[in-house]
Amino acid sequence: MPAFSLMIQGTTSDAGKSTLVTALCRLFVRRGISVAPFKPQNMALNSAVTQDGNEIGRAQAVQAYAAGLEPHVDMNPILLKPNTDTGAQVIIQGKAVGNMNAVGYHEYKSIAKIAALDSYHRLAEQYQAVLIEGAGSPAEINLRARDIANMGFAESINCPVIIIADIDKGGVFAHLVGTLDLLSQSEQDRVIGFVINRFRGDISLLQSGLDWLEERTGKPVLGVLPFLKGFHLESEDAVAKSPIKADTNAKLNIVIPIMPRTSNHTDWDALRLHPDVQVTLVGANESIPPADLVILPGSKSVQSDLAFLRQEGWEDYLNKHLRYGGKVMGICGGYQMLGEQLLDPLGLENQHANTQSAGFGFIPMETVLKEEKQLRQRNGKLRLTADSNHCPKVTGYEIHSGVSSFAANTTINHFALLEDGEKEGYISPDGQIIGTYLHGVFDHPEALQALLNWAGVDQATTFNYDQYRDSEINRLADSTEQHMDIDALIEQCRGFQNI
């Protein structure tokens, strides 16, 4: 068993669970403690691929990075990827086991819990500490039976719990007191304290509330973490619509549609942060502004998201955009949409076999959805020009069920030459359209620079996304160190007694 485990639970989704685990991972490593992040169950369309070809939630990949580790499937053994409002693809220890509706998965939880405990115990044997992230809130009364994401898991392994709340949402004291009151006595007993997240203002004006909270609950406030202006950490699930920056002098304007099942939206984080680029995200019923480049992102349900884009007027927009010399890039599901046909013979997306949809028809390509998902990390060189001596390095990862093929007797200009000699993706003869299955294609500085040049920026500013991410994790860790007693927390966890 590890020296200790600690679970971070939240009063709500997006309360700060992922960020606090990320900060603690970095702070424990600074103290020489080998630590692994862990989330028993994650529901998100934003995933990552491990080196051995397994799929986990994006947040755990970031937390692994903060801990100085390669992401591993045991860090997130259960991943749910919603494909409808009531159903999701269920991924157990990195591999899809099928689609289930909410009722079906609730029945399946007893089996899923075995995998979660199996993965946890493997981590516990390898590391001195395991930092566990809960999901949503532990006070969801309707989900308490067979819970494997919050207190149900904490009770199974007998670990202490911190409850974090976001004061920026309002009602922070009601959130904390209400959450605690809705827990059973044994669950309340394992809560070692509260953390208040994203506080702005004079802490002295909050002190009376903190004193009341501690007296009311008998639980200490372990820290009040400040709002970090401009802070960026890869999002676990929800797409942040508000712009990271607004720059009317940007050299390149990029427009990206946000679809109902948009996936892997971290693909454009490097673009949103780049000093030369302005990214506009366009949701349902919003007007589509002019752009230099349109990016069609990944999708968990390509055919239904394609229908959504048509309904929102994107087909006419793209035709006009290309007619006037604009650039278009499709990534994964967006790449498939740019082709001529999408075929789903097994009903993997629509639960009806032999469905098909006409794509936008900009690429002479047909895509057939297959049962086996492609999960691979990739490295290679971009083929944006005919000059083989100037091929920028590209890194990325594939997550897709579709297998795409080009029309017979068609000469294809490929987007990249990968490490195994495979030719990947597509570039149109006029250079206006790119299609690729590679997620994370903008993250490598060489590829980012080259793609911005392709899109119309003659001399793009050099930007290293990995360095930026690391500096933001350090900024988060430094702030957490300043506002929490980390050494006291570690001792408290080590001294946690069985209940």
Side-chain angles (χ1 to χ4, degrees):
M1 295 296 292
F4 64 90
S5 293
L6 171 65
M7 190 170 198
I8 310 298
Q9 298 180 12
T11 57
T12 61
S13 294
D14 201 31
K17 300 182 292 292
S18 296
T19 53
L20 182 54
V21 171
T22 302
L24 293 177
C25 280
R26 180 59 55 94
L27 291 171
F28 284 11
V29 168
R30 289 179 182 177
R31 286 163 168 75
I33 299 171
S34 66
V35 57
F38 177 76
K39 185 163 185 170
Q41 176 185 290
N42 198 344
M43 178 176 282
L45 289 176
N46 214 23
S47 57
V49 175
T50 63
Q51 279 192 338
D52 54 355
N54 289 302
E55 190 174 5
I56 64 172
R58 169 66 52 176
Q60 283 61 64
V62 175
Q63 291 159 0
Y65 178 87
L69 303 174
E70 276 292 329
H72 189 273
V73 68
D74 282 337
M75 296 173 183
N76 176 212
I78 305 170
L79 177 61
L80 308 177
K81 301 187 77 172
N83 45 29
T84 69
D85 289 342
T86 59
Q89 183 182 57
V90 179
I91 297 168
I92 302 294
Q93 292 180 330
K95 302 299 182 185
V97 297
N99 294 323
M100 300 183 193
N101 60 28
V103 174
Y105 178 68
H106 189 67
E107 297 295 323
Y108 184 78
K109 279 183 179 179
S110 57
I111 297 174
K113 185 175 182 177
I114 296 171
L117 288 169
D118 177 53
S119 288
Y120 166 78
H121 288 303
R122 268 199 297 270
L123 292 178
E125 290 172 357
Q126 298 176 62
Y127 297 95
Q128 295 172 304
V130 179
L131 287 171
I132 307 165
E133 180 185 337
S137 163
E140 303 289 353
I141 301 302
N142 57 310
L143 300 177
R144 293 291 295 280
R146 303 179 185 174
D147 171 54
I148 57 176
N150 290 296
M151 282 298 180
F153 191 84
E155 298 235 292
S156 294
I157 65 168
N158 190 38
C159 74
V161 171
I162 289 175
I163 298 178
I164 186 170
D166 181 359
I167 197 171
D168 203 48
K169 287 181 166 67
V172 70
F173 298 113
H175 280 165
L176 288 168
V177 172
T179 298
L180 190 69
D181 281 354
L182 289 173
L183 302 179
S184 70
Q185 188 58 55
S186 65
E187 292 168 346
Q188 290 183 24
D189 290 343
R190 68 178 61 258
V191 176
I192 61 173
F194 303 125
V195 170
I196 292 175
N197 191 30
R198 289 167 42 103
F199 176 74
R200 349 181 180 210
D202 188 339
I203 190 70
S204 65
L205 297 177
L206 187 66
Q207 191 58 52
S208 62
L210 302 180
D211 295 340
W212 174 89
L213 180 64
E214 292 186 341
E215 182 178 358
R216 170 69 170 75
T217 64
K219 306 291 184 183
V221 176
L222 302 174
V224 178
L225 305 181
F227 183 94
L228 294 181
K229 187 176 181 180
F231 175 70
H232 171 75
L233 192 68
E234 293 170 53
S235 174
E236 179 174 56
D237 189 24
V239 180
K241 287 295 299 295
S242 58
I244 291 178
K245 58 181 175 54
D247 186 359
T248 56
N249 297 315
K251 298 178 182 177
L252 187 72
N253 287 303
I254 298 176
V255 168
I256 304 173
I258 301 302
M259 307 168 295
R261 300 297 169 203
T262 295
S263 65
N264 293 82
H265 53 79
T266 49
D267 281 345
W268 59 77
D269 279 356
L271 294 173
R272 297 184 79 187
L273 293 161
H274 196 284
D276 296 338
V277 177
Q278 181 64 41
V279 174
T280 302
L281 306 180
V282 179
N285 302 315
E286 294 180 351
S287 60
I288 310 171
D292 302 305
L293 169 63
V294 175
I295 297 176
L296 299 186
S299 165
K300 184 66 186 71
S301 299
V302 179
Q303 292 186 82
S304 61
D305 276 350
L306 175 60
F308 167 82
L309 291 182
R310 283 200 165 100
Q311 178 183 325
E312 294 290 317
W314 280 92
E315 187 162 32
D316 290 341
Y317 176 92
L318 290 172
N319 276 294
K320 182 177 179 180
H321 173 75
L322 288 167
R323 212 162 45 240
Y324 282 88
K327 301 290 180 69
V328 174
M329 183 174 187
I331 300 174
C332 198
Y335 176 29
Q336 295 172 356
M337 293 178 192
L338 292 175
E340 294 175 340
Q341 289 288 333
L342 290 137
L343 307 176
D344 187 5
L346 302 177
L348 298 176
E349 285 192 350
N350 297 305
Q351 299 179 336
H352 298 289
N354 296 317
T355 60
Q356 66 180 56
S357 300
F360 288 129
F362 299 129
I363 298 177
M365 179 182 79
E366 178 181 275
T367 299
V368 180
L369 295 183
K370 305 280 189 177
E371 194 162 19
E372 185 175 355
K373 186 182 289 190
Q374 303 295 314
L375 296 163
R376 293 180 288 184
Q377 291 187 3
R378 309 307 300 262
N379 297 283
K381 297 285 188 179
L382 294 183
R383 302 284 297 275
L384 295 175
T385 68
D387 187 352
S388 59
N389 295 318
H390 294 86
C391 294
K393 182 178 179 181
V394 64
T395 61
Y397 58 98
E398 292 183 47
I399 303 178
H400 59 96
S401 298
V403 175
S404 298
S405 58
F406 295 102
N409 302 318
T410 303
T411 301
I412 301 299
N413 298 315
H414 291 281
F415 173 65
L417 180 64
L418 300 178
E419 72 280 358
D420 57 1
E422 180 183 343
K423 295 176 180 178
E424 198 281 332
Y426 172 88
I427 303 177
S428 62
D430 59 12
Q432 284 184 254
I433 300 170
I434 284 177
T436 179
Y437 273 117
L438 298 181
H439 291 289
V441 70
F442 296 106
D443 291 355
H444 193 283
E446 282 186 33
L448 175 60
Q449 188 97 356
L451 286 165
L452 291 180
N453 290 341
W454 164 77
V457 182
D458 290 335
Q459 293 185 340
T461 304
T462 300
F463 179 77
N464 189 310
Y465 181 70
D466 283 343
Q467 289 179 2
Y468 182 90
R469 177 177 60 176
D470 194 63
S471 68
E472 287 291 88
I473 291 174
N474 281 328
R475 181 160 76 107
L476 172 66
D478 292 343
S479 176
T480 304
E481 177 96 75
Q482 184 179 351
H483 295 92
M484 287 182 68
D485 188 337
I486 303 302
D487 293 321
L489 173 63
I490 291 171
E491 289 308 308
Q492 191 175 7
C493 291
R494 284 175 169 157
F496 182 78
Q497 299 298 311
N498 291 344
I499 297 174

